[in-house]
Amino acid sequence: MHNIADVAQTLFPDLSANDLILVNNALSLVEQACANNPQACQNPRPKGIDVASILTTVHIDIYSILAAVLSDSRLDDYLDETTIEIQFGPVVATLVKDVNWLNKVSIYNLDMANQPNQTEILRRMLLAMTHDVRAVLIKLAYRIQRLRGLDQEDAQLRKFIARETLDIYAPLANRLGISQFKWELEDMAFRYLDPDRYRGIAKSLADKRVQREACIETFLHDLQQALNEHRLNAKVYGRPKHIYSIWCKMRRKQLPIEELYDLLAVRVIVDDVTACYTVLGLAHGRWQYIPKEFDDYIANPKENGYQSLHTVVVDKQGNRMEIQIRTRAMHEFAELGVAAHWRYKEGGRHNTASEKNITSLRLLLEERGHDNLLESFHTELFSDRVFVLTPTGNLVDLIKGATPLDFAYAIHTDIGHSCRGAKVNGQIKPLTYQLQSGEQVEIITVKNGQPSRNWLDPNLGYLKTPRAIGKVKSWFKQQELGDNIAAGKNLLDKESKRLGVKKVDLNDLIRHFKMADADHLYQAIGRGDINNRQLAGALKIPELAPVSFKLSQPKTSSISTVTVADMDNLVTSLAHCCSPVNGDDIIGYITHTRGITIHRTDCSNILHLTPEQQTHLVTAEWSGNHHARHSVPIVIEALSGQNLLIEVSQLLHFAKVQITDASLKTNSDQSATLTMQLQIENTDQLSLVLGRISQLANVVEVRRKV
């Protein structure tokens, strides 16, 4: 490539001098990569420069232009992410990483063409797995650049690329409200998929182009004259039709191109709703209109919120002319892609988060400098979803935190019931493993398998999706009444023993869960309507009864109520040296005459206490922030003492449970007993901790020590 500076200056005349230097630096890197690997650079012109040129039509920023240039595949082995970040900053580095991933992703297959659900999941996955939405725009521009040179490829590849474009990338462009990308993607893909029909429509349009343009010009002149006579302020213009959209309408209405009404189309943009109906009245008064082609989407908006008046009139030469009339606000709503327009076109479902973020994206394209909008797009759109693959390549859409067991139930209820294991990306994973987007999952089943009641225990983390939980509950509900009652008794007995509850007040539980009698209670527990966590919350453990500590205070402005661990009815006062306020991290210092003085933890007086003075320190918290903790002993029986203390300690660390004492005893048969003293807030937390410890492979039993 020659004269890099001249190329950049020509393609990006609006860039500042500093931005042009950055673009030239990026182009130089591509040129150097080509020089080092001439076999991979048969065409010396970087394709990224053409992609960046395409992006300028939607007023994209300098970061995206640089990322487009640096995403050239010839740089893969020449330039790493760290080098890009050093030279061009973290935003460009992240964009390049996302675009490279999008350029290499190869999940689509031709079978998806007949599976709308699969193509929709793939589109959502592409949006979800990019950190910056601008990467999707760059990818769309790369696809346009690929299509423009597709005639050089063999027929089979041309059809594959074209089909993928119509199924995945054109709908994405439509969803993002970028009409000019959508039209070009659709028309070029249609040209390669069905060249005969494409040429037929193009020829028909070309044959009548002069006549059509003359009709539009005459009609616009007459309409503008009528508007001027009534002193109506309006913007009036012809609306072009694209070949693929014409073909779709021909196919939908089962009509030849000659009988389509709206090949001749105009749009009128006015100031307010009253003006919309005034223009409609003028049009119907001046030309004959076709009643069945009139739609009032202002009085009766579409379900997606779209508003406009649509009518078809017959001009003086007998041509049918479609007119769309809307206010500027309605036009902006439609053009900004507030999900309503693309949901109507694609038949998607309503999604408020999508509406908000698509609008943000379109505003970003119109007004530069909205970096926070980019962040909100990624963090709110599909942030609660994971997209995983079956062994055959089908995509499954699940909620965040879903497990292989959730995946099994999403495939089929019987597969869920029979599931006993899973491979994720070829490796065996526990059924509680949290799946990540892009992973491939294979389910291991057994014949005539049945669900486990443990799967319904939220403490154990087997299931996340409501659908899967409902399937398991439904299975247990269908079992015999006697089996559920027996299972319920067993579960209640097991949970009470684990929590160390010597005597269960059955009547209290019946009242708590609003059951008619004990059998109904047992049945509800047995079939999963009452899970272990709910049961643990209802069982009463004396030392875990909720208590609160509030310290008395003198009635002066310098006094504040705080909670001091293990101390009650004490006077506290705020230290003048650091003047702590609610929200600061605080600590108490026991004085001889003034009770407990409350300091900030970073107070210089506290930091410079002598070792003897430090013995006067006590923990303190602001009232309302305190969670009373109670010392609870537990016993863990295990097959072996090896790594037992380490594994349990790590689990408790992640559960944010403090250990105050631990004792490990190893028996002659290599089994072990681990006794621990834990700081527990409530019964729910105790049940959660016991449940998680019980899932460790080495553990035989875990219970509260009584």
Side-chain angles (χ1 to χ4, degrees), residues 239 266-268 306 308-311 322-326:
R239 191 166 59 89
V266 300
R267 182 171 289 150
V268 183
Y306 173 87
S308 186
L309 296 176
H310 292 193
T311 189
E322 183 194 52
I323 309 174
Q324 292 183 358
I325 310 166
R326 59 179 69 151

Side-chain angles (χ1 to χ4, degrees), residues 303-431:
E303 290 183 2
N304 53 35
Y306 173 87
Q307 289 184 293
S308 186
L309 296 176
H310 292 193
T311 189
V312 176
V313 300
V314 180
D315 68 8
K316 296 174 182 178
Q317 287 75 38
N319 300 303
R320 291 175 174 142
M321 189 77 61
E322 183 194 52
I323 309 174
Q324 292 183 358
I325 310 166
R326 59 179 69 151
T327 67
R328 288 181 175 81
M330 294 172 190
H331 182 62
E332 288 173 4
F333 181 89
E335 292 298 307
L336 287 177
V338 188
H341 187 61
W342 57 259
R343 281 203 310 276
Y344 165 65
K345 292 288 187 183
E346 298 174 58
R349 291 180 294 178
H350 178 82
N351 184 302
T352 304
S354 296
E355 288 189 3
K356 176 180 177 181
N357 288 293
I358 299 303
T359 308
S360 298
L361 173 67
R362 290 297 298 142
L363 288 172
L364 176 76
L365 295 177
E366 300 299 328
E367 302 175 29
R368 302 183 185 184
H370 289 70
D371 291 339
N372 60 316
L373 295 180
L374 290 169
E375 182 179 351
S376 71
F377 184 95
H378 183 262
T379 56
E380 294 181 29
L381 189 63
F382 310 129
S383 61
D384 60 341
R385 314 300 298 177
V386 291
F387 306 89
V388 292
L389 291 141
T390 68
T392 58
N394 284 340
L395 280 163
V396 178
D397 179 4
L398 298 167
I399 63 174
K400 189 175 183 180
T403 65
L405 194 54
D406 287 302
F407 172 87
Y409 276 104
I411 299 301
H412 195 280
T413 302
D414 290 341
I415 293 177
H417 290 342
S418 303
C419 176
R420 291 299 178 270
K423 290 183 180 179
V424 178
N425 291 341
Q427 295 184 338
I428 295 289
K429 294 289 184 181
L431 293 181

Side-chain angles (χ1 to χ4, degrees), residues 25 30 52 80 84 90 101 121 183 192 206 228 285 299 316 352 372 404 457 523 592 603 629 678 684 686:
N25 290 343
V30 181
D80 59 26
I84 294 175
W101 180 82
I121 293 174
W183 292 333
Y192 291 116
N228 292 340
K316 296 174 182 178
T352 304
N372 60 316
D457 186 346
Q523 187 182 4
H592 294 292
C603 174
R629 293 178 176 86
L678 308 181
D684 283 353
L686 177 61

Side-chain angles (χ1 to χ4, degrees), residues 226-241:
L227 295 172
N228 292 340
E229 290 173 0
H230 289 78
R231 296 183 179 179
L232 282 170
N233 180 33
K235 181 181 179 182
V236 182
Y237 56 93
R239 191 166 59 89
K241 282 292 181 179

